[in-house]
Amino acid sequence: MEIVAVIDFETTGLSPAQGDRATEIAAVIVENGKVVDRYQSLMNAGVRIPSFIESLTGISDAMIRQAPPAAEVMQAVSDFVGDLPLVAHNAAFDCKFWDAELARIQRTRQKEFICSLLLSRRLFPLAPSHKLAALVEYARLPVAGRYHRALADAEMAASLLLRLEEELQQRHRVSEVSPDFLRQLQRVPKNQLEKCIASRRN
């Protein structure tokens, strides 16, 4: 698969439309089956972190006060990933914050996200849950650090992506796993999954 960037946000809540902001972002570059580069930063958007979010992530108001401004971080991470295809676990969430935070610095996303959660529903239908932690355990992937911290979650989502690629290549005999194919696969209805995969077989 060509080079991709796997990203993860930590935030003050679920929706930028409701005033929630990002507090941390990480991006890892995946090339030739491994992570080859990383970016991580807390980001100060000038908002208070709710206590339940602090208990979930471990990110406090004191930590955010010492972090660089959100605009500066978004410029840096946007430059870091460039025009690479973007991947996230539960991309519907990260995509909203990526778009909202980029808009604040007058930048826009170029491509649709690849979602490792949607792909895992197609390729690991027997997993007890499709949350990241459950899939890491199900697929016996390494735990990269504390869950709900951006770099650890991005690293584990990258491991999951590589495991899904392996599943397509070894179990389903798909010779070339491209970002475009993954985007197609994550949208395909379950009753058309086999037909979609068969079209890419050796």
Side-chain angles (χ1 to χ4, degrees):
M1 187 167 62
E2 65 188 76
I3 307 173
V4 299
V6 183
I7 73 161
D8 185 82
F9 277 106
E10 300 306 324
T11 69
T12 61
L14 296 176
S15 174
Q18 301 297 319
D20 294 315
R21 295 293 304 274
T23 57
E24 185 180 39
I25 188 169
V28 298
I29 308 300
V30 179
E31 182 180 12
N32 294 328
K34 61 186 178 185
V35 172
V36 297
D37 205 356
R38 298 165 177 83
Y39 175 93
Q40 177 275 332
S41 182
L42 293 168
M43 48 201 295
N44 186 351
V47 294
R48 189 182 66 81
I49 297 177
S51 58
F52 76 95
I53 294 290
E54 182 177 344
S55 65
L56 179 71
T57 65
I59 298 171
S60 66
D61 286 326
M63 292 165 65
I64 292 302
R65 280 195 295 271
Q66 298 174 10
E72 179 183 311
V73 173
M74 287 306 299
Q75 288 172 353
V77 71
S78 177
D79 290 343
F80 178 76
V81 303
D83 61 356
L84 292 176
L86 295 175
V87 182
H89 194 74
N90 190 17
F93 172 84
D94 293 276
C95 179
K96 287 187 296 186
F97 282 93
W98 182 259
D99 288 350
E101 296 292 347
L102 277 187
R104 291 174 179 272
I105 59 168
Q106 286 77 53
R107 296 191 186 185
T108 56
R109 173 169 50 93
Q110 302 301 313
K111 299 173 183 176
E112 178 189 357
F113 268 76
I114 297 163
C115 180
S116 56
L117 186 151
L118 293 179
L119 289 169
S120 71
R121 286 179 178 165
R122 300 294 183 269
L123 298 173
F124 294 150
L126 300 181
S129 165
H130 292 91
K131 291 182 178 180
L132 183 59
L135 288 164
V136 166
E137 182 176 354
Y138 177 78
R140 299 178 181 177
L141 302 173
V143 176
R146 175 178 175 158
Y147 287 100
H148 303 295
R149 286 303 301 264
L151 184 57
D153 282 357
E155 295 257 13
M156 289 184 281
S159 293
L160 175 60
L161 179 72
L162 292 169
R163 179 66 183 81
L164 292 166
E165 180 185 9
E166 183 182 278
E167 184 80 355
L168 284 166
Q169 290 175 328
Q170 296 185 4
R171 182 179 172 197
H172 296 284
R173 306 190 312 280
V174 174
S175 57
E176 185 177 344
V177 180
S178 68
D180 284 341
F181 174 54
L182 294 178
R183 292 188 194 100
Q184 178 187 2
L185 195 62
Q186 71 191 23
R187 293 191 304 264
V188 73
K190 289 182 180 179
N191 63 359
Q192 297 178 30
L193 180 63
E194 180 55 34
K195 181 180 179 181
C196 178
I197 292 174
S199 69
R200 300 293 182 117
R201 282 203 177 107
N202 300 346

